[in-house]
Amino acid sequence: MIADNIKRINEQIANAALKVHRRREDIKLVAVSKRFPVSQIIEAYAAGQIIFGENYIQEMQTKKEQAPTSAIFHFIGHLQSNKAKIAAATCDMIETVDRLKLGTALNNHLQALNKTMDVLIQVNIGNDVKKSGVKSSEAEELLIRLNDLPRIRVCGLMTMPPFVDDPELSRPYFQKLRLLSEKLSRKGLFPAVEKPQLSMGMSSDFHIAIEEGATIVRVGTAIFGER
Ligand SMILES: *Cc1c(COP(=O)(O)O)cnc(C)c1O
């Protein structure tokens, strides 16, 4: 069942890319496995899925120990600075850096581990009081500060728009995130990458996010089922 879902999502990603003349290989699928047992990750991995998304750091740590060693884990939840040590040791990418304090804590732990980490800046593109993420108006300042931290590579932006019933209503938020990344990119503020990554779109609206430029989509329910 998981294998069928992954196949179907990959076809839908390819179709969305084709529609707007983008290359399929420029879009990564993150299978959001939060609250599902590691057995489901193993099943998805056997079906060809490599990248997994988790939103609790301890849960990610446990699963990473039990998952195939070449499975890749993106952290997509709210990260407290006091969890930065585990995150620095465990994650392959952190998509949710939204404040300097967290960046600094990560940088210090990465330094001690003698490694670097790819991160995204989470932007609260809808100025939604219930969502974390830096305000759009403060993203540039945060990016400049994070660029000074030698162990952190800022690879792009991530967002979770306000919840809406009609996926079309997410489109303006996806457009806003893309315009923001283009603006920052023109200013040369993503020196670590050739082109910034855009992580946006979930089960209900990833096809629209791809039309608007997503390079990473985070899909949970449509792969693993209801949580
Ligand atoms: C849970 C979650 C997802 C996946 O949502 P689905 O609607 O189940 O696809 C994507 N991104 C983040 C940040 C999440 O927490």
Side-chain angles (χ1 to χ4, degrees), residues 198-216:
L198 283 176
S199 176
M200 53 190 196
M202 318 199 297
S203 290
S204 58
D205 54 16
F206 69 86
H207 56 295
I208 292 178
I210 290 168
E211 289 175 26
E212 298 303 333
T215 64
I216 298 175

Side-chain angles (χ1 to χ4, degrees), residues 5 11 19 39 58 70 97 118 127 153 157 161 173 180 193:
N5 292 344
E11 285 165 4
K19 191 172 163 191
S39 59
Q58 269 105 349
S70 46
V97 175
D118 289 353
N127 287 320
R153 295 177 72 234
L157 306 179
Y173 296 109
L180 178 61
V193 289

Side-chain angles (χ1 to χ4, degrees), residues 134-184:
V134 66
K135 286 188 197 147
S136 313
S137 57
E138 293 166 10
E140 178 169 339
E141 174 72 19
L142 177 61
L143 176 55
I144 290 169
R145 300 295 196 95
L146 292 175
N147 280 338
D148 283 338
L149 302 173
R151 297 288 168 169
I152 285 177
R153 295 177 72 234
V154 186
C155 299
L157 306 179
M158 175 271 199
T159 200
M160 232 175 133
F163 179 79
V164 287
D165 286 325
D166 176 1
E168 266 302 326
L169 297 176
S170 299
R171 190 185 294 276
Y173 296 109
F174 297 150
Q175 286 171 342
K176 274 189 192 157
L177 192 73
R178 172 166 47 85
L179 290 173
L180 178 61
S181 87
E182 286 171 357
K183 187 184 96 181
L184 300 172

Side-chain angles (χ1 to χ4, degrees), residues 22 25-30 51 74 93-95 118-123 143 153-159 177-178 180-182 184-185 190 192-200 212-218:
R22 297 185 54 203
E25 59 266 36
D26 291 339
I27 301 153
K28 290 194 192 109
L29 171 61
V30 173
I51 313 174
H74 284 201
M93 177 186 256
I94 300 172
E95 297 200 12
D118 289 353
V119 308
L120 303 178
I121 294 180
Q122 181 177 7
V123 182
L143 176 55
R153 295 177 72 234
V154 186
C155 299
L157 306 179
M158 175 271 199
T159 200
L177 192 73
R178 172 166 47 85
L180 178 61
S181 87
E182 286 171 357
L184 300 172
S185 189
F190 290 108
V193 289
E194 203 180 304
K195 222 178 151 258
Q197 302 276 318
L198 283 176
S199 176
M200 53 190 196
E212 298 303 333
T215 64
I216 298 175
V217 293
R218 310 178 308 267

Side-chain angles (χ1 to χ4, degrees), residues 32 34 55 76-77 96 158 160 201-204 218-222 227:
V32 178
K34 64 187 185 199
N55 69 343
I76 60 169
T96 48
M158 175 271 199
M160 232 175 133
M202 318 199 297
S203 290
S204 58
R218 310 178 308 267
V219 178
T221 312
R227 288 178 295 271

